[in-house]
Amino acid sequence: MAKKFICILDYGSGNVRSVHNVLKHLGYNAVVSNTKDNIKKCSHLILPGVGSFGASMRKIENTIPFDCLEEQVLKNAKPFLGICVGMQVLGDVGFEFEECKGFGWIQGSVEKLIVSDSTLPHIGWNDIIIKKDNPIFRNLKEFRDFYFVNSYHLKVNNPEYVLASSDYEGLFNSIVSKDNIFGFQFHPEKSQKAGQLLLNNFIHLT
Amino acid sequence: MKKNRLIPVILLKNGWIVQSKNFSQYQNLGNPVTIVKRLSQWASDELIYLDISDDDNYDTRRDDQGYANRGDFLSVIEDVSKEAFMPITVGGKIRTIKDIENRLSVGADKVCLNTMAIQDPSFINEASREFGSQCIVISIDVKLTSKKYNVFATGGSKKTKFSPKELSKIVEDNGAGEILINSIDKDGKGDGFDLTLINQITDCVSIPVIACGGAGEWSHFSEVFEKTDAEAVAAANIFHYVDQSVFLAKKHLYDNGFNVRKPDLIKIDNYRI
């Protein structure tokens, strides 16, 4: 794929603009859209996220042509990145407020972080512990801190899918990946240099 | 492990960034967007952007700054969010859910409530239900009057019936995500934070507390992390007057073994591969 064209999936999520700003800053051609045309035409797909699992799933179902998206990601193997709740919905099921089905692209469930001394949501800069080598980490060097805002996390059935975890009174998955599908629990668009490096690496996967 | 944060506070008064002393004297520091660019390069952990204008005139009366001379606060925030790839909290003049929505839609990640939180704590509840408690920061301005801590509203001008402890508990119960505790007495003095006040708040709530007011040297930050449970320190003046301020402050903390993000000077634009 010669020309990079990134489609940021628009389903009314609050931080769409921040993701768009950072991609523009990095010099990429990106669009915020939910049309079949752009989902087919683009080279990379990003699903941003802020908010709860159930509310996000409902908005996604109402705005995004899911069959078209699934065809591009699962059949055509187009690189896909889910951010925060956008990563959590990749699982089979979520339990925030109510039980709700996810995409089921990466087998696992979304559960609440268990803490006794710390505050929830887990807000702030936390480092990632790399579990499995992947081109997504290229040039990351010692910059391991990312900005998180989450009370829930995606537990995956197969540990092979975990690229990195983070510690908040116990480890949770901060980066998961299965083939062309990636999920970041943190917000790369708010994580300065480290976040921009990972986004850049994602866009250069193919 | 989660890191303690260093947060520059930017006070915007009628289009300019200003320095504040005791919430009453203001000196112009410069263009809102240029300063944010610098703070971004010094790897600030977050930014708090407060609109303390008396009216709605944001005209800087200058068109030679390399940025558009914006007529309103939302456009300023929109410009800022294109330069700052870090969390931004925006405060000032927020009265309705729509006000919050407008700020988030131009790139703010969180909003900071003050007067409304005191007048109508149920508004915090409504806001945190709508946008999530991670989004709602409550700033509490405190002044010592006859040896007792009192909460002041409306930009520190009106004494309220609340003690900071009482109000902190109320805002937490209503779903606030964080508390920004600010000492009016210490504002602009530079002789250190009010540690007693900070401890009072962290002792009575379990949400993160951001300490503000009084930073005059880097060791004042370490003092807060050493002697209180505050998760973050915020400051305005000290970060504006010293070149590479945030980087140097963080370096001081990092070198002394504090749990902060590794200091960094970000050369913007150089890491596109």
Side-chain angles (χ1 to χ4, degrees):
Chain A
M1 228 173 291
K3 192 107 178 77
K4 314 278 185 198
F5 172 49
I6 300 119
C7 179
I8 304 161
L9 292 162
D10 183 11
Y11 63 99
S13 159
N15 65 336
V16 170
R17 186 186 286 251
S18 309
V19 177
H20 193 235
N21 280 344
V22 74
L23 293 177
K24 261 174 68 183
H25 175 79
L26 290 169
Y28 293 112
N29 184 16
V31 63
V32 177
S33 169
N34 54 24
T35 66
K36 283 188 180 175
D37 191 41
N38 279 324
I39 294 173
K40 282 183 190 159
K41 231 170 38 192
C42 71
S43 59
H44 294 72
L45 286 153
I46 297 182
L47 183 69
V50 171
S52 72
F53 189 101
S56 302
M57 270 312 288
R58 271 191 298 279
K59 285 191 206 161
I60 291 168
E61 279 161 5
N62 289 334
T63 50
I64 292 174
F66 195 74
D67 292 343
C68 172
L69 178 66
E70 203 161 51
E71 189 188 334
Q72 291 301 315
V73 177
L74 300 186
K75 206 169 136 232
N76 297 357
K78 200 169 268 185
F80 176 97
L81 171 64
I83 297 173
C84 195
V85 181
M87 153 174 167
Q88 297 179 356
V89 295
L90 300 176
D92 299 306
V93 62
F95 297 100
E96 193 169 356
F97 297 120
E98 75 237 281
E99 190 174 324
C100 182
K101 268 185 79 164
F103 291 9
W105 290 355
I106 295 183
Q107 289 66 48
S109 60
V110 176
E111 288 169 30
K112 197 163 188 167
L113 292 167
I114 299 166
V115 291
S116 52
D117 298 329
S118 313
T119 52
L120 279 185
H122 165 235
I123 309 180
W125 294 84
N126 201 339
D127 54 303
I128 60 165
I129 304 148
I130 296 176
K131 296 283 179 184
K132 201 178 155 193
D133 202 24
N134 190 285
I136 201 93
F137 298 123
R138 196 165 54 117
N139 293 333
L140 187 61
K141 302 192 184 101
E142 76 275 29
F143 297 103
R144 299 290 164 90
D145 289 313
F146 293 87
Y147 188 76
F148 288 82
V149 181
N150 63 309
S151 299
Y152 288 77
H153 65 123
L154 175 62
K155 271 180 133 170
V156 295
N157 298 351
N158 185 344
E160 276 291 297
Y161 300 151
V162 179
L163 295 190
S165 13
S166 296
D167 188 9
Y168 197 58
E169 289 192 30
L171 293 181
F172 67 91
N173 299 330
S174 39
I175 303 182
V176 295
S177 164
K178 183 185 173 190
D179 308 320
N180 55 314
I181 302 166
F182 288 80
F184 296 170
Q185 182 56 65
F186 48 81
H187 288 277
E189 74 280 12
K190 292 285 167 187
S191 301
Q192 293 171 345
K193 190 193 229 165
Q196 294 178 27
L197 253 164
L198 288 199
L199 282 172
N200 224 339
N201 287 343
F202 167 72
I203 293 161
H204 282 81
L205 285 172
T206 56
Chain B
M1 194 168 47
K2 194 165 96 169
K3 307 294 188 291
N4 290 130
R5 292 167 282 161
L6 248 76
I7 310 176
V9 178
I10 296 158
L11 301 173
L12 193 77
K13 197 171 165 59
N14 301 103
W16 288 100
I17 291 186
V18 295
Q19 180 188 8
S20 153
K21 200 168 177 195
N22 295 108
F23 279 44
S24 55
Q25 299 160 32
Y26 301 102
Q27 189 184 339
N28 271 357
L29 291 179
N31 175 293
V33 181
T34 339
I35 287 184
V36 166
K37 218 171 174 173
R38 284 215 313 265
L39 293 170
S40 208
Q41 287 167 351
W42 303 337
S44 308
D45 292 322
E46 275 183 54
L47 291 179
I48 297 178
Y49 226 89
L50 301 179
D51 178 18
I52 56 163
S53 312
D54 300 323
D55 52 44
D56 288 330
N57 180 14
Y58 297 90
D59 191 344
T60 58
R61 290 179 291 280
R62 293 276 295 270
D63 288 311
D64 57 345
Q65 305 280 297
Y67 294 94
N69 175 9
R70 295 300 195 177
D72 65 284
F73 185 61
L74 288 179
S75 311
V76 173
I77 296 305
E78 195 170 355
D79 286 348
V80 164
S81 71
K82 287 181 186 149
E83 302 291 345
F85 302 108
M86 64 180 117
I88 307 171
T89 301
V90 171
K93 301 196 171 48
I94 297 172
R95 300 286 179 269
T96 63
I97 292 290
K98 185 77 193 152
D99 288 340
I100 300 179
E101 209 178 289
N102 289 341
R103 281 153 182 78
L104 299 180
S105 76
V106 290
D109 300 280
K110 317 181 201 178
V111 291
C112 184
L113 308 177
N114 175 253
T115 304
M116 260 317 263
I118 297 164
Q119 277 173 5
D120 179 14
S122 73
F123 180 67
I124 303 170
N125 197 288
E126 202 187 332
S128 64
R129 274 173 187 275
E130 182 73 29
F131 305 103
S133 48
Q134 86 289 337
C135 189
I136 311 297
V137 183
I138 308 297
S139 79
I140 300 180
D141 300 328
V142 182
K143 204 152 124 181
L144 266 177
T145 43
S146 32
K147 292 191 179 160
K148 271 171 80 182
Y149 286 120
N150 263 298
V151 175
F152 279 68
T154 341
S157 63
K158 276 196 200 117
K159 192 176 163 183
T160 71
K161 61 180 182 195
F162 296 110
S163 78
K165 275 189 343 199
E166 283 162 354
L167 187 64
S168 299
K169 206 71 206 121
I170 293 172
V171 305
E172 180 183 36
D173 291 345
N174 274 285
E178 289 176 287
I179 291 174
L180 172 68
I181 188 85
N182 197 1
S183 160
I184 300 175
D185 306 303
K186 293 281 187 178
D187 181 50
K189 291 261 173 59
D191 61 353
F193 288 81
D194 188 336
L195 302 174
T196 316
L197 172 65
I198 300 163
N199 272 323
Q200 274 199 7
I201 309 304
T202 55
D203 283 351
C204 74
V205 296
S206 57
I207 52 178
V209 172
I210 305 165
C212 188
E217 48 189 271
W218 311 141
S219 63
H220 291 151
F221 296 130
S222 31
E223 210 171 44
V224 172
F225 292 135
E226 216 161 42
K227 297 179 180 157
T228 81
D229 284 328
E231 277 197 21
V233 285
N237 305 345
I238 190 176
F239 286 138
H240 296 311
Y241 274 132
V242 183
D243 189 34
Q244 302 188 340
S245 57
V246 183
F247 170 77
L248 294 171
K250 212 182 266 182
K251 194 170 179 313
H252 169 84
L253 290 168
Y254 190 84
D255 291 348
N256 284 289
F258 286 93
N259 175 34
V260 292
R261 216 154 50 101
K262 196 171 155 56
D264 188 19
L265 283 175
I266 301 175
K267 260 194 153 163
I268 306 282
D269 296 322
N270 75 341
Y271 38 95
R272 188 165 171 220
I273 305 154

